[in-house]
Amino acid sequence: MVIVMHSDASEDHLRTVVERVESLGLAAHVSRGTERTVIRVIGDERFVDHQTFEALDGVERVVPILHRFRLASRDLHPQDRVIELPGGILLGSKDVVMMAGPCAVESREQLQEAAGAVHAAGVKVLRAGAFKPRSSPYSFQGLGQKGLLMLREVADELGMSVITEVLTPEDVPEVAEHAEMLQIGTRNMANFRLLRAVGKATKPVLVKRGWGATLDELLLAAEYVLAEGNEQVAVCERGIRTFETSTRFTVDINAIPALKQISSLPVVVDPSHGTGRADLVAPVARAGVAAGADGLLVEVHPNPPEALSDGAQALTPMGFAKLMEEVRRVAGAVGRGVS
Amino acid sequence: MVIVMHSDASEDHLRTVVERVESLGLAAHVSRGTERTVIRVIGDERFVDHQTFEALDGVERVVPILHRFRLASRDLHPQDRVIELPGGILLGSKDVVMMAGPCAVESREQLQEAAGAVHAAGVKVLRAGAFKPRSSPYSFQGLGQKGLLMLREVADELGMSVITEVLTPEDVPEVAEHAEMLQIGTRNMANFRLLRAVGKATKPVLVKRGWGATLDELLLAAEYVLAEGNEQVAVCERGIRTFETSTRFTVDINAIPALKQISSLPVVVDPSHGTGRADLVAPVARAGVAAGADGLLVEVHPNPPEALSDGAQALTPMGFAKLMEEVRRVAGAVGRGVS
Amino acid sequence: MVIVMHSDASEDHLRTVVERVESLGLAAHVSRGTERTVIRVIGDERFVDHQTFEALDGVERVVPILHRFRLASRDLHPQDRVIELPGGILLGSKDVVMMAGPCAVESREQLQEAAGAVHAAGVKVLRAGAFKPRSSPYSFQGLGQKGLLMLREVADELGMSVITEVLTPEDVPEVAEHAEMLQIGTRNMANFRLLRAVGKATKPVLVKRGWGATLDELLLAAEYVLAEGNEQVAVCERGIRTFETSTRFTVDINAIPALKQISSLPVVVDPSHGTGRADLVAPVARAGVAAGADGLLVEVHPNPPEALSDGAQALTPMGFAKLMEEVRRVAGAVGRGVS
Amino acid sequence: MVIVMHSDASEDHLRTVVERVESLGLAAHVSRGTERTVIRVIGDERFVDHQTFEALDGVERVVPILHRFRLASRDLHPQDRVIELPGGILLGSKDVVMMAGPCAVESREQLQEAAGAVHAAGVKVLRAGAFKPRSSPYSFQGLGQKGLLMLREVADELGMSVITEVLTPEDVPEVAEHAEMLQIGTRNMANFRLLRAVGKATKPVLVKRGWGATLDELLLAAEYVLAEGNEQVAVCERGIRTFETSTRFTVDINAIPALKQISSLPVVVDPSHGTGRADLVAPVARAGVAAGADGLLVEVHPNPPEALSDGAQALTPMGFAKLMEEVRRVAGAVGRGVS
């Protein structure tokens, strides 16, 4: 942490800041310059609130030096973290892991058709929502527990793993019983009670980036899970909110290599939510793989216009089969396989 | 809802769209233009997913005509909604309602000092957090239940009402027992389970805007509460996330009159979180009142550098007393009082 | 400037950075911490490109300590800068200065009517565009030179000053001949050739913030003008681009006190462009004054639906008269007058 | 265009709107619904200002149906536009076109070294700036005319084409004389005088997206050039400004396929400015190609820490040679070559 003093700060102001630093068990290096005096704080700043200094008289601003996450960082954990799913699927390793399926479980038929299609295209991880967070109370909210059981059964019929969203701490045990991987949705990235709850589960967790969250905040959300002892965490870029309105969200492609540089967690991309438009899913999926993503989360529906949610971004089974071919070629070009 | 067809859409495409509209019990007005055919859908579009049309072949895009909220709208409820708190405090009426206190309950002494100061300045509603959502798992997370009881006792000593945040559905009954008003924080604006839970409580609710949420999404969050039967809902502008980094967030001042135009819910402004800087709180508080806010939420700490959270944005008791004077004058200039 | 070394940077990396700092005539204070070594660079960093260090091996990042503007800063120029216009109008002093008129000069009649209305309401500075930058080549582009002369004549008839936009360096002499104040529009804030050209003019300049520009960039744009020797510069907050779509732009109300803290330049607010909606202009104008703005720029048209540009945000003469009353009351509440 | 009336609009309001539509030579289809009356306007709305209706009493809002650009649209020009550069280079055709070189011309030696390196890697189009727009007046502003001549000479020695930025209308003839392609920088995307000037030149033009501009605005900027008769226009995604601060800008990867869907202009990506970090350039370059970009603009410097501008994002010659290999493989995977 570096504390910058105001140009007109007095020696008394400076002394008070140094004393405050020292009272917290940290050391202070004072550097006087031509226009500003700067204090470098020595010690683990992750456990010190920088606002405690900003509120002192004479302080202009405080600049953090370290990221606030530790367990999620590459500093502390240099080698890539790998998550193992049944069937030898390794997320964060050489192969790009495909996770696909409908936005929501709507019926056994719809789910079987969608799951059958993605399975036929080579996918081993089935995604679908039983508990759906929806902006409007008047929208379809998912089949709930019934959907969860259906999801389990259909996945079992095909020998697939399940990734599905969990919405609230009290649902964690049940969802963890029926799914191989728990998903924290974009709206819940900063639901810290929920993060702690999945941190106590024994299943891997995928934390989706809040659409208004920075990369540091995303990794701090992952840190909540890691800090509870669950080391099987991956993060997902799913589009952020910007001023551009021709797509629902803007996929932050820079985030993929940027995350991998500061963190050893696997990084997944969701081109379906990240664009909101079926016609853009394939090119953005290819881009994600080319940029280094470890996995893709893609929505597929047997009949998109009949979808009860997010039909505009769902691929048809045929569209998805084509995407798989394209993703395989791009993965090959960056020295990876697809599983 | 208006459906715009592609320039190269066929008559078959058009027919399919019209049939789909009619199969949902709605009517379709087809308007053929020089370059695009447009279908106006007649009926209550709030209950129809526009993506169901976007996914059809030949459709270029779908434009909603109505806001998706109903109970929160001024259309359905033209007169201003007013929330009554003990002591004759009316939020959403002539007086601007002040809610002030520390970011977090830290100790009985700290709370008594802060509460005493804001009470002396004329404030009747005490704000403070017992359950604190924090970006880092290593930050102070609040005193929890113990803090909640302390908050109740200190407020009772001074005859004040309490507004405090609730983080998860299971905590709602307890918080509702000890507080006059429940706060949904910015990170939980889209935690729909929590919104439903406070919708079942009998206490008024303040929904803070998610820092990445549009006004429509904020009002849909309020709609979740209203739809459960709780009519005592207010919304709060607390700063949105933009590219500007000299302040922590950007207060969307336009939102105040814009919300009041489309909704009859009371609108509160939080200049403390909205700026993140104590030196900007007073000017932005004045601006909020000048723009038509019905209430202000302000952080005050007896000794900001000692604060366990958000010290940089907390006013001292003296700074707050000055702000109250200024707010009174501006409120007077727009024909309002302060309570 | 503070240079943060990577956790795995070597002594050689460090030595190279220090040598580079010293080769630029600056001094380096090295501070070794528990996890990172940090180098504080002593000297005027405004003239050193921080990227020169970021590109060195072993450097994690470079944190600027000083703002890059000097002449525009309050550090160098602590007292408020005041711009004098004819008739004793002082921008940046006690009175809030009103500048109002139509978006564009459309005809002598339209201009006379609009100017007459704002003059009758007490305005001394007439705003109107002769050269109009428009997003579409098919929109009305202004009357050009003819409009400029008309503007001068109508202002002279009423004894008003003129503020109008200049689009390109070669037009500066002519516009400076006919206007009392030159406006740099939001799209040209980073047109540095144009900024230099108005820096050489002898007329005051209003630099509008680029809708995607930070406060630092806005003040650097002002610095271009100041650096050419023109000390009569004011800046204008006119709304930034955010994800919110219910208003055309989002007025950054925080910017007003934030600018005044780091700079001594007068700050103007444009609630017309900042909202894009006539019904929001008055509340946001009041907010701007309450937050400390030194001036307001407001669009008024005798008949908004007939306006050739920006009709949706223009006030009628009657709406503007009402706004003037409201602004006077709010200005009074913050200890200011209106002129 | 669709005009939505307020819920409480009267028959008189409606009649006035219809009359206004008809007075502009357009037709009006009135559709009365359960909650709103909607008027569909028939005719070419590109030449009608939608604000003219928004300003009428009783109008809630106006929704455009068509994009405002014509010549840049795929509607009007379905087949891909291709730009031909010397040596059989085709931008917008099968091969991805590489344009690389230093940010700025700094000296003959530096330029020769950079150009030699990119040429050796297979690049035929040399990029470098002679006229540099810089945020601070105290930064290096480019060598100007001298740099332009140097650029021409070095390109000629190697048989390369030149793309370089032009800053102001009066420089267009000279830059057009010495360069094969004119670049409009991000800060000048809405400098309409400059766009018209390059529209009159006979050289191809690359319009870079303003970092705060929507895709529609970018294509309207291209429309300015096309409308002057210059049909050789390409557009460039170079990163937009968002709340994320770990990279200088956020590359909008969605924009690549989104632009190609609505426009037939070639699309180029600039991963150097789009990330601001040398370590992210290669992955984002690969992503751009995978998403369908027709060209890449990459900064290369013989010694990045010595660069007078943008050193942090420049690749070394060795780094660039590696990028070229990677780009070739990804281009192959999407059925394209590299030239």
mmCIF file with all atom_site columns, all heavy atoms in Angstrom, chain D residues 255-270:
data_model
loop_
_atom_site.group_PDB
_atom_site.id
_atom_site.type_symbol
_atom_site.label_atom_id
_atom_site.label_alt_id
_atom_site.label_comp_id
_atom_site.label_asym_id
_atom_site.label_entity_id
_atom_site.label_seq_id
_atom_site.pdbx_PDB_ins_code
_atom_site.Cartn_x
_atom_site.Cartn_y
_atom_site.Cartn_z
_atom_site.occupancy
_atom_site.B_iso_or_equiv
_atom_site.pdbx_formal_charge
_atom_site.auth_seq_id
_atom_site.auth_comp_id
_atom_site.auth_asym_id
_atom_site.auth_atom_id
_atom_site.pdbx_PDB_model_num
ATOM 1   N N   . ALA D 1 255 ? -18.338 -7.114  -31.199 1.00 0.00 ? 255 ALA D N   1
ATOM 2   C CA  . ALA D 1 255 ? -18.509 -6.129  -32.269 1.00 0.00 ? 255 ALA D CA  1
ATOM 3   C C   . ALA D 1 255 ? -18.103 -6.685  -33.627 1.00 0.00 ? 255 ALA D C   1
ATOM 4   O O   . ALA D 1 255 ? -18.642 -6.270  -34.652 1.00 0.00 ? 255 ALA D O   1
ATOM 5   C CB  . ALA D 1 255 ? -17.686 -4.873  -31.963 1.00 0.00 ? 255 ALA D CB  1
ATOM 6   N N   . ILE D 1 256 ? -17.151 -7.609  -33.629 1.00 0.00 ? 256 ILE D N   1
ATOM 7   C CA  . ILE D 1 256 ? -16.649 -8.081  -34.924 1.00 0.00 ? 256 ILE D CA  1
ATOM 8   C C   . ILE D 1 256 ? -17.761 -8.780  -35.708 1.00 0.00 ? 256 ILE D C   1
ATOM 9   O O   . ILE D 1 256 ? -18.138 -8.323  -36.788 1.00 0.00 ? 256 ILE D O   1
ATOM 10  C CB  . ILE D 1 256 ? -15.387 -8.954  -34.739 1.00 0.00 ? 256 ILE D CB  1
ATOM 11  C CG1 . ILE D 1 256 ? -14.316 -8.112  -34.012 1.00 0.00 ? 256 ILE D CG1 1
ATOM 12  C CG2 . ILE D 1 256 ? -14.868 -9.464  -36.080 1.00 0.00 ? 256 ILE D CG2 1
ATOM 13  C CD1 . ILE D 1 256 ? -13.149 -8.919  -33.509 1.00 0.00 ? 256 ILE D CD1 1
ATOM 14  N N   . PRO D 1 257 ? -18.353 -9.870  -35.170 1.00 0.00 ? 257 PRO D N   1
ATOM 15  C CA  . PRO D 1 257 ? -19.456 -10.455 -35.953 1.00 0.00 ? 257 PRO D CA  1
ATOM 16  C C   . PRO D 1 257 ? -20.682 -9.542  -36.025 1.00 0.00 ? 257 PRO D C   1
ATOM 17  O O   . PRO D 1 257 ? -21.427 -9.596  -37.017 1.00 0.00 ? 257 PRO D O   1
ATOM 18  C CB  . PRO D 1 257 ? -19.768 -11.758 -35.203 1.00 0.00 ? 257 PRO D CB  1
ATOM 19  C CG  . PRO D 1 257 ? -19.198 -11.587 -33.833 1.00 0.00 ? 257 PRO D CG  1
ATOM 20  C CD  . PRO D 1 257 ? -18.013 -10.677 -33.986 1.00 0.00 ? 257 PRO D CD  1
ATOM 21  N N   . ALA D 1 258 ? -20.901 -8.714  -35.015 1.00 0.00 ? 258 ALA D N   1
ATOM 22  C CA  . ALA D 1 258 ? -22.077 -7.829  -35.063 1.00 0.00 ? 258 ALA D CA  1
ATOM 23  C C   . ALA D 1 258 ? -21.944 -6.816  -36.191 1.00 0.00 ? 258 ALA D C   1
ATOM 24  O O   . ALA D 1 258 ? -22.911 -6.532  -36.908 1.00 0.00 ? 258 ALA D O   1
ATOM 25  C CB  . ALA D 1 258 ? -22.264 -7.121  -33.719 1.00 0.00 ? 258 ALA D CB  1
ATOM 26  N N   . LEU D 1 259 ? -20.750 -6.266  -36.374 1.00 0.00 ? 259 LEU D N   1
ATOM 27  C CA  . LEU D 1 259 ? -20.534 -5.319  -37.471 1.00 0.00 ? 259 LEU D CA  1
ATOM 28  C C   . LEU D 1 259 ? -20.700 -6.009  -38.822 1.00 0.00 ? 259 LEU D C   1
ATOM 29  O O   . LEU D 1 259 ? -21.317 -5.463  -39.737 1.00 0.00 ? 259 LEU D O   1
ATOM 30  C CB  . LEU D 1 259 ? -19.128 -4.715  -37.389 1.00 0.00 ? 259 LEU D CB  1
ATOM 31  C CG  . LEU D 1 259 ? -18.929 -3.616  -36.344 1.00 0.00 ? 259 LEU D CG  1
ATOM 32  C CD1 . LEU D 1 259 ? -17.440 -3.344  -36.134 1.00 0.00 ? 259 LEU D CD1 1
ATOM 33  C CD2 . LEU D 1 259 ? -19.647 -2.328  -36.762 1.00 0.00 ? 259 LEU D CD2 1
ATOM 34  N N   . LYS D 1 260 ? -20.141 -7.199  -38.932 1.00 0.00 ? 260 LYS D N   1
ATOM 35  C CA  . LYS D 1 260 ? -20.191 -7.870  -40.236 1.00 0.00 ? 260 LYS D CA  1
ATOM 36  C C   . LYS D 1 260 ? -21.613 -8.268  -40.609 1.00 0.00 ? 260 LYS D C   1
ATOM 37  O O   . LYS D 1 260 ? -21.923 -8.425  -41.782 1.00 0.00 ? 260 LYS D O   1
ATOM 38  C CB  . LYS D 1 260 ? -19.249 -9.081  -40.251 1.00 0.00 ? 260 LYS D CB  1
ATOM 39  C CG  . LYS D 1 260 ? -17.795 -8.649  -40.091 1.00 0.00 ? 260 LYS D CG  1
ATOM 40  C CD  . LYS D 1 260 ? -16.794 -9.653  -40.555 1.00 0.00 ? 260 LYS D CD  1
ATOM 41  C CE  . LYS D 1 260 ? -16.682 -9.702  -42.043 1.00 0.00 ? 260 LYS D CE  1
ATOM 42  N NZ  . LYS D 1 260 ? -15.851 -8.654  -42.653 1.00 0.00 ? 260 LYS D NZ  1
ATOM 43  N N   . GLN D 1 261 ? -22.468 -8.381  -39.601 1.00 0.00 ? 261 GLN D N   1
ATOM 44  C CA  . GLN D 1 261 ? -23.849 -8.736  -39.903 1.00 0.00 ? 261 GLN D CA  1
ATOM 45  C C   . GLN D 1 261 ? -24.634 -7.547  -40.478 1.00 0.00 ? 261 GLN D C   1
ATOM 46  O O   . GLN D 1 261 ? -25.461 -7.715  -41.372 1.00 0.00 ? 261 GLN D O   1
ATOM 47  C CB  . GLN D 1 261 ? -24.513 -9.230  -38.615 1.00 0.00 ? 261 GLN D CB  1
ATOM 48  C CG  . GLN D 1 261 ? -25.624 -10.229 -38.848 1.00 0.00 ? 261 GLN D CG  1
ATOM 49  C CD  . GLN D 1 261 ? -26.889 -9.787  -38.156 1.00 0.00 ? 261 GLN D CD  1
ATOM 50  O OE1 . GLN D 1 261 ? -26.874 -8.879  -37.325 1.00 0.00 ? 261 GLN D OE1 1
ATOM 51  N NE2 . GLN D 1 261 ? -27.976 -10.412 -38.509 1.00 0.00 ? 261 GLN D NE2 1
ATOM 52  N N   . ILE D 1 262 ? -24.384 -6.356  -39.984 1.00 0.00 ? 262 ILE D N   1
ATOM 53  C CA  . ILE D 1 262 ? -25.163 -5.192  -40.442 1.00 0.00 ? 262 ILE D CA  1
ATOM 54  C C   . ILE D 1 262 ? -24.457 -4.375  -41.503 1.00 0.00 ? 262 ILE D C   1
ATOM 55  O O   . ILE D 1 262 ? -25.054 -3.504  -42.116 1.00 0.00 ? 262 ILE D O   1
ATOM 56  C CB  . ILE D 1 262 ? -25.558 -4.260  -39.262 1.00 0.00 ? 262 ILE D CB  1
ATOM 57  C CG1 . ILE D 1 262 ? -24.332 -3.871  -38.421 1.00 0.00 ? 262 ILE D CG1 1
ATOM 58  C CG2 . ILE D 1 262 ? -26.626 -4.914  -38.406 1.00 0.00 ? 262 ILE D CG2 1
ATOM 59  C CD1 . ILE D 1 262 ? -24.651 -2.884  -37.293 1.00 0.00 ? 262 ILE D CD1 1
ATOM 60  N N   . SER D 1 263 ? -23.189 -4.635  -41.713 1.00 0.00 ? 263 SER D N   1
ATOM 61  C CA  . SER D 1 263 ? -22.411 -3.828  -42.654 1.00 0.00 ? 263 SER D CA  1
ATOM 62  C C   . SER D 1 263 ? -21.541 -4.724  -43.511 1.00 0.00 ? 263 SER D C   1
ATOM 63  O O   . SER D 1 263 ? -21.134 -5.803  -43.080 1.00 0.00 ? 263 SER D O   1
ATOM 64  C CB  . SER D 1 263 ? -21.537 -2.847  -41.874 1.00 0.00 ? 263 SER D CB  1
ATOM 65  O OG  . SER D 1 263 ? -20.636 -2.186  -42.740 1.00 0.00 ? 263 SER D OG  1
ATOM 66  N N   . SER D 1 264 ? -21.214 -4.275  -44.707 1.00 0.00 ? 264 SER D N   1
ATOM 67  C CA  . SER D 1 264 ? -20.318 -5.069  -45.554 1.00 0.00 ? 264 SER D CA  1
ATOM 68  C C   . SER D 1 264 ? -18.905 -4.496  -45.566 1.00 0.00 ? 264 SER D C   1
ATOM 69  O O   . SER D 1 264 ? -18.071 -4.928  -46.359 1.00 0.00 ? 264 SER D O   1
ATOM 70  C CB  . SER D 1 264 ? -20.880 -5.173  -46.973 1.00 0.00 ? 264 SER D CB  1
ATOM 71  O OG  . SER D 1 264 ? -21.673 -4.076  -47.282 1.00 0.00 ? 264 SER D OG  1
ATOM 72  N N   . LEU D 1 265 ? -18.603 -3.570  -44.679 1.00 0.00 ? 265 LEU D N   1
ATOM 73  C CA  . LEU D 1 265 ? -17.252 -3.004  -44.612 1.00 0.00 ? 265 LEU D CA  1
ATOM 74  C C   . LEU D 1 265 ? -16.290 -3.990  -43.946 1.00 0.00 ? 265 LEU D C   1
ATOM 75  O O   . LEU D 1 265 ? -16.685 -4.732  -43.050 1.00 0.00 ? 265 LEU D O   1
ATOM 76  C CB  . LEU D 1 265 ? -17.271 -1.709  -43.798 1.00 0.00 ? 265 LEU D CB  1
ATOM 77  C CG  . LEU D 1 265 ? -18.157 -0.575  -44.315 1.00 0.00 ? 265 LEU D CG  1
ATOM 78  C CD1 . LEU D 1 265 ? -18.092 0.613   -43.357 1.00 0.00 ? 265 LEU D CD1 1
ATOM 79  C CD2 . LEU D 1 265 ? -17.735 -0.144  -45.709 1.00 0.00 ? 265 LEU D CD2 1
ATOM 80  N N   . PRO D 1 266 ? -15.017 -3.993  -44.336 1.00 0.00 ? 266 PRO D N   1
ATOM 81  C CA  . PRO D 1 266 ? -14.026 -4.826  -43.649 1.00 0.00 ? 266 PRO D CA  1
ATOM 82  C C   . PRO D 1 266 ? -13.860 -4.355  -42.201 1.00 0.00 ? 266 PRO D C   1
ATOM 83  O O   . PRO D 1 266 ? -13.989 -3.164  -41.906 1.00 0.00 ? 266 PRO D O   1
ATOM 84  C CB  . PRO D 1 266 ? -12.731 -4.570  -44.437 1.00 0.00 ? 266 PRO D CB  1
ATOM 85  C CG  . PRO D 1 266 ? -13.152 -3.973  -45.740 1.00 0.00 ? 266 PRO D CG  1
ATOM 86  C CD  . PRO D 1 266 ? -14.439 -3.251  -45.477 1.00 0.00 ? 266 PRO D CD  1
ATOM 87  N N   . VAL D 1 267 ? -13.567 -5.319  -41.325 1.00 0.00 ? 267 VAL D N   1
ATOM 88  C CA  . VAL D 1 267 ? -13.422 -5.031  -39.905 1.00 0.00 ? 267 VAL D CA  1
ATOM 89  C C   . VAL D 1 267 ? -12.018 -5.418  -39.436 1.00 0.00 ? 267 VAL D C   1
ATOM 90  O O   . VAL D 1 267 ? -11.592 -6.563  -39.623 1.00 0.00 ? 267 VAL D O   1
ATOM 91  C CB  . VAL D 1 267 ? -14.473 -5.795  -39.074 1.00 0.00 ? 267 VAL D CB  1
ATOM 92  C CG1 . VAL D 1 267 ? -14.266 -5.555  -37.584 1.00 0.00 ? 267 VAL D CG1 1
ATOM 93  C CG2 . VAL D 1 267 ? -15.888 -5.399  -39.487 1.00 0.00 ? 267 VAL D CG2 1
ATOM 94  N N   . VAL D 1 268 ? -11.335 -4.460  -38.850 1.00 0.00 ? 268 VAL D N   1
ATOM 95  C CA  . VAL D 1 268 ? -9.975  -4.670  -38.355 1.00 0.00 ? 268 VAL D CA  1
ATOM 96  C C   . VAL D 1 268 ? -10.008 -4.620  -36.830 1.00 0.00 ? 268 VAL D C   1
ATOM 97  O O   . VAL D 1 268 ? -10.866 -3.966  -36.240 1.00 0.00 ? 268 VAL D O   1
ATOM 98  C CB  . VAL D 1 268 ? -9.052  -3.555  -38.925 1.00 0.00 ? 268 VAL D CB  1
ATOM 99  C CG1 . VAL D 1 268 ? -7.658  -3.592  -38.304 1.00 0.00 ? 268 VAL D CG1 1
ATOM 100 C CG2 . VAL D 1 268 ? -8.977  -3.655  -40.451 1.00 0.00 ? 268 VAL D CG2 1
ATOM 101 N N   . VAL D 1 269 ? -9.081  -5.332  -36.172 1.00 0.00 ? 269 VAL D N   1
ATOM 102 C CA  . VAL D 1 269 ? -8.982  -5.272  -34.710 1.00 0.00 ? 269 VAL D CA  1
ATOM 103 C C   . VAL D 1 269 ? -7.597  -4.786  -34.318 1.00 0.00 ? 269 VAL D C   1
ATOM 104 O O   . VAL D 1 269 ? -6.606  -5.160  -34.937 1.00 0.00 ? 269 VAL D O   1
ATOM 105 C CB  . VAL D 1 269 ? -9.240  -6.665  -34.089 1.00 0.00 ? 269 VAL D CB  1
ATOM 106 C CG1 . VAL D 1 269 ? -8.964  -6.652  -32.595 1.00 0.00 ? 269 VAL D CG1 1
ATOM 107 C CG2 . VAL D 1 269 ? -10.668 -7.091  -34.345 1.00 0.00 ? 269 VAL D CG2 1
ATOM 108 N N   . ASP D 1 270 ? -7.540  -3.964  -33.299 1.00 0.00 ? 270 ASP D N   1
ATOM 109 C CA  . ASP D 1 270 ? -6.274  -3.446  -32.776 1.00 0.00 ? 270 ASP D CA  1
ATOM 110 C C   . ASP D 1 270 ? -6.091  -3.952  -31.346 1.00 0.00 ? 270 ASP D C   1
ATOM 111 O O   . ASP D 1 270 ? -6.561  -3.335  -30.396 1.00 0.00 ? 270 ASP D O   1
ATOM 112 C CB  . ASP D 1 270 ? -6.304  -1.911  -32.808 1.00 0.00 ? 270 ASP D CB  1
ATOM 113 C CG  . ASP D 1 270 ? -5.052  -1.278  -32.225 1.00 0.00 ? 270 ASP D CG  1
ATOM 114 O OD1 . ASP D 1 270 ? -4.271  -1.982  -31.554 1.00 0.00 ? 270 ASP D OD1 1
ATOM 115 O OD2 . ASP D 1 270 ? -4.856  -0.071  -32.430 1.00 0.00 ? 270 ASP D OD2 1
#
